[in-house]
Amino acid sequence: MKLNEAASQRLSELLAERNMTQYQLYARSGVTRGTISNIILCRNKALNLRVLHELCQGLDINLVDFFDSPLFDNDNLDP
């Protein structure tokens, strides 16, 4: 799995866990709805760390919490 795919799946998981929509995340994080949608749809090959930090703030988690998932284990990610 590519890193952007893992980030997409993780963001989708976190939104579902919190019963939060992309719009609600936009309102809480300030990250545009288009950017959030592009991340979830894997339209970006790379994810800006600043954007990820803002999304985490909107989700009320730390970056460590975002990456605390088997999705980001080295065995699951393509080199």
Side-chain angles (χ1 to χ4, degrees):
M1 168 183 314
K2 295 181 181 176
L3 186 57
N4 67 327
E5 294 169 334
S8 167
Q9 285 186 29
R10 182 64 173 150
L11 183 56
S12 295
E13 285 176 1
L14 291 166
L15 287 171
E17 285 174 11
R18 288 161 175 71
N19 293 321
M20 185 183 286
T21 65
Q22 290 180 33
Y23 180 82
Q24 290 168 321
L25 181 57
Y26 147 72
R28 292 185 65 182
S29 70
V31 176
T32 66
R33 291 181 292 170
T35 298
I36 295 168
S37 177
N38 285 339
I39 293 167
I40 290 177
L41 296 173
C42 294
R43 289 188 179 147
N44 298 340
K45 292 183 180 181
L47 180 57
N48 183 304
L49 190 57
R50 180 190 55 79
V51 170
L52 183 56
H53 181 255
E54 291 173 1
L55 290 171
C56 287
Q57 287 179 322
L59 292 163
D60 198 29
I61 62 171
N62 295 311
L63 284 167
V64 172
D65 298 323
F66 184 87
F67 288 111
D68 186 21
S69 167
L71 292 167
F72 297 104
D73 289 348
N74 284 335
D75 295 339
N76 293 331
L77 293 174
D78 294 338

